[in-house]
Amino acid sequence: MPELPEVETIKRRLATVLPGKIITQIEIQADKSFGGDPNQLIGKPIQAVSRRATILEIEFPEVSLLTHLQMTGQLIYVAGDP
């Protein structure tokens, strides 16, 4: 499980890459790993990336996605067409 400094490093990097990007697809690999309606995020631009303790917060208009890096410390981002 990533410690706070590792999560901060990941947050800082994502904060330079993600704002302005638009979510086009979400793949949920385990039903219990996502609470809510993923369709609320499709087509929405990412406004900011922040952190609450070891939880990453990806902010969209009117909704936020909270994610924990679990044991692997990985968050996979796949870039689409520019």
Side-chain angles (χ1 to χ4, degrees), residues 26-38 65-66 70:
I26 295 175
E27 180 181 336
I28 300 171
Q29 297 182 347
D31 289 336
K32 70 177 188 173
S33 69
F34 193 92
D37 182 6
L65 174 66
L66 302 177
Q70 300 298 322

